[in-house]
Amino acid sequence: MPENKDNFGRNILVVFIFFLLFGGAAVLVAYVGSMFGSPKGDNRTAGLKKPLNGSAYTDPGEGERIHYVLDGNGDLVVREGERAPEEKPVQTAKAEDEAKEKPLPKREAKPEPKPEPAPEPKPAPKPKPKPKPKPAPKPKPQPKPKPEPVKKVDSGPKYVLQLVAYKEKYKAVEEMRSLKSVFPDVFMVRIDLGSKGVWYRVRCCEEPGYTAAKKRLANVKSSTKYSPIIVKTDK
């Protein structure tokens, strides 16, 4: 009887130790799995930006303006009479590689052999005197063209349609080039809003009065995807 009691106690102790080791192993496996198997956030939403609040929108009538247009080759230039802003040039990889290249060693120039003196030419025979040409008749004086009358330029305010506005300059330039065939007078205005940053606004359809600009806005809105706004300008 005492021997049976000792065996029963040993069996209970073995079972207890087995369950204790098994539970510890399960906890360790679960911890390791959580460290290496679980994803750390969803990367698909990491690059999304929050929508702009009301303070991010700008007033189209404020800020310093610089107008850009496209020339005949489709290149972006500043409108005549204005000065382009000072922008830092972007150094390309090719320019950096050229700056890193070491100058080639100068080659020593070898003296060229002196040419042999040419034989003295024989004196040419004296040419016969040519007859004097007859003087050409004097042209009749043409009447001076009358100066064209100077057209009076309206110095009053103008109205234009603003189609879109971007903070990235290259986006505004691409938009101008795509609209050049539809609106030949399309141009871009650079607006510096201080703390709100620099904006590039694409505009077109300059009109001398608000009523004409309003009619033009209705035509553009019905025939294109844009919803332009009317902006008063003095340029």
Side-chain angles (χ1 to χ4, degrees), residues 62-104:
E62 66 174 328
E64 182 182 354
R65 298 172 178 79
I66 297 176
H67 295 69
Y68 293 86
V69 296
L70 294 175
D71 60 8
N73 298 325
D75 296 329
L76 186 69
V77 296
V78 179
R79 197 160 73 174
E80 185 177 357
E82 298 188 7
R83 184 171 60 88
E86 294 183 0
E87 298 181 355
K88 296 182 179 179
V90 179
Q91 188 174 10
T92 61
K94 184 177 180 182
E96 293 178 357
D97 294 340
E98 291 178 356
K100 293 179 181 179
E101 291 182 359
K102 296 181 179 180
L104 297 174

Side-chain angles (χ1 to χ4, degrees), residues 68-182:
Y68 293 86
V69 296
L70 294 175
D71 60 8
N73 298 325
D75 296 329
L76 186 69
V77 296
V78 179
R79 197 160 73 174
E80 185 177 357
E82 298 188 7
R83 184 171 60 88
E86 294 183 0
E87 298 181 355
K88 296 182 179 179
V90 179
Q91 188 174 10
T92 61
K94 184 177 180 182
E96 293 178 357
D97 294 340
E98 291 178 356
K100 293 179 181 179
E101 291 182 359
K102 296 181 179 180
L104 297 174
K106 296 182 179 180
R107 295 181 180 179
E108 294 182 0
K110 296 182 179 180
E112 297 182 357
K114 295 182 179 181
E116 296 181 358
E120 295 182 0
K122 296 181 180 180
K126 293 182 180 181
K128 296 180 180 180
K130 294 182 180 181
K132 293 182 180 180
K134 295 181 180 180
K138 294 182 180 180
K140 295 180 180 180
Q142 296 181 355
K144 295 182 180 179
K146 295 181 179 180
E148 296 182 358
V150 179
K151 295 181 180 180
K152 294 183 179 180
V153 180
D154 186 7
S155 60
K158 302 286 192 306
Y159 294 88
V160 296
L161 301 184
Q162 180 170 310
L163 302 177
V164 289
Y166 296 101
K167 293 200 75 173
E168 296 82 3
K169 182 179 180 179
Y170 75 93
K171 289 184 180 180
V173 175
E174 290 176 357
E175 195 78 24
M176 283 181 61
R177 288 173 176 162
S178 64
L179 291 171
K180 186 68 175 178
S181 59
V182 183

Side-chain angles (χ1 to χ4, degrees), residues 8-19:
F8 180 75
R10 291 193 190 96
N11 292 335
I12 291 177
L13 181 60
V14 169
V15 171
F16 176 76
I17 293 173
F18 173 77
F19 279 107

Side-chain angles (χ1 to χ4, degrees), residues 170-225:
Y170 75 93
K171 289 184 180 180
V173 175
E174 290 176 357
E175 195 78 24
M176 283 181 61
R177 288 173 176 162
S178 64
L179 291 171
K180 186 68 175 178
S181 59
V182 183
F183 304 108
D185 63 340
V186 65
F187 63 96
M188 182 179 73
V189 183
R190 180 184 183 274
I191 306 293
D192 189 352
L193 300 178
S195 60
K196 296 180 181 178
V198 177
W199 288 79
Y200 297 91
R201 295 169 176 171
V202 180
R203 297 176 177 178
C204 67
C205 308
E206 184 178 290
E207 297 292 345
Y210 182 80
T211 303
K214 196 172 182 180
K215 292 180 180 178
R216 195 70 177 273
L217 181 143
N219 294 335
V220 172
K221 193 173 183 180
S222 62
S223 59
T224 65
K225 65 179 180 180

Side-chain angles (χ1 to χ4, degrees), residues 16-74:
F16 176 76
I17 293 173
F18 173 77
F19 279 107
L20 183 62
L21 294 175
F22 180 78
V27 172
L28 180 62
V29 170
Y31 175 75
V32 173
S34 64
M35 290 294 292
F36 295 96
S38 61
K40 296 181 180 179
D42 192 353
N43 292 330
R44 293 176 298 176
T45 60
L48 296 180
K49 297 180 179 179
K50 294 183 180 179
L52 297 175
N53 53 21
S55 63
Y57 296 97
T58 61
D59 184 2
E62 66 174 328
E64 182 182 354
R65 298 172 178 79
I66 297 176
H67 295 69
Y68 293 86
V69 296
L70 294 175
D71 60 8
N73 298 325

